[in-house]
Amino acid sequence: MEGDVIGVPEAVEAVVRVSEVLADADRAQVLGWSGDGDGVDPDFGELPLIVRLGHLGSTFARAAGGLDPEEWRAVLAAVEEVVAGGTPAAREAMTTGFLEEVQNARADNVDLAALGPRSWEFCLLMERRAGSEPQEWMLS
């Protein structure tokens, strides 16, 4: 991928290093927040990690149908890597930011059956806590 990602939180770095689409979306969001690309607004401080990952999750969901299958799998593998073994802060941001956005977009043909086991467990838990009937793939 073009250019290394330096100075970004672990959870963001995990997904932007494997997807140019997500890397571009992240750069645009950080620039929009800070005006100069450092991700720090003089009045509001650093772009919140959960907001940043939520934006990446919704970007992924919108772009999912057009992504190369290899890139799609690499993003989901990176998400699973963080959810299964990242720092507590990275896991929390990945699940409540990225995964919740992707899960909310399931009506947009996002194939959640391709998630890793820990990511899948989180999505199932969220379905149950919301009082929703879990999707068929979640129960198999």
Side-chain angles (χ1 to χ4, degrees):
M1 190 168 84
E2 206 174 286
D4 291 332
V5 179
I6 299 172
V8 297
E10 167 191 4
V12 172
E13 198 276 332
V15 294
V16 301
R17 72 178 145 77
V18 297
S19 172
E20 193 65 42
V21 170
L22 296 183
D24 290 345
D26 186 58
R27 279 190 292 275
Q29 185 188 33
V30 168
L31 182 60
W33 176 262
S34 63
D36 66 3
D38 71 356
V40 179
D41 181 273
D43 296 321
F44 297 105
E46 189 172 338
L47 176 61
L49 183 57
I50 194 167
V51 171
R52 199 168 173 182
L53 282 163
H55 173 71
L56 290 172
S58 63
T59 299
F60 178 72
R62 283 191 312 275
L67 291 179
D68 176 270
E70 236 177 80
E71 186 174 353
W72 167 264
R73 285 189 296 275
V75 169
L76 293 181
V79 168
E80 180 67 13
E81 183 180 305
V82 172
V83 173
T87 65
R91 285 193 311 262
E92 180 180 346
M94 186 63 81
T95 54
T96 59
F98 191 94
L99 278 178
E100 281 193 25
E101 286 296 324
V102 171
Q103 188 172 8
N104 289 337
R106 68 178 172 262
D108 298 329
N109 299 318
V110 176
D111 181 11
L112 295 182
L115 291 171
R118 294 292 292 161
S119 300
W120 171 84
E121 287 174 15
F122 174 79
C123 290
L124 179 59
L125 176 67
M126 292 309 296
E127 288 287 314
R128 289 185 171 148
R129 286 194 175 159
S132 302
E133 190 65 33
Q135 304 293 313
E136 185 176 319
W137 66 266
M138 291 180 159
L139 302 174
S140 54

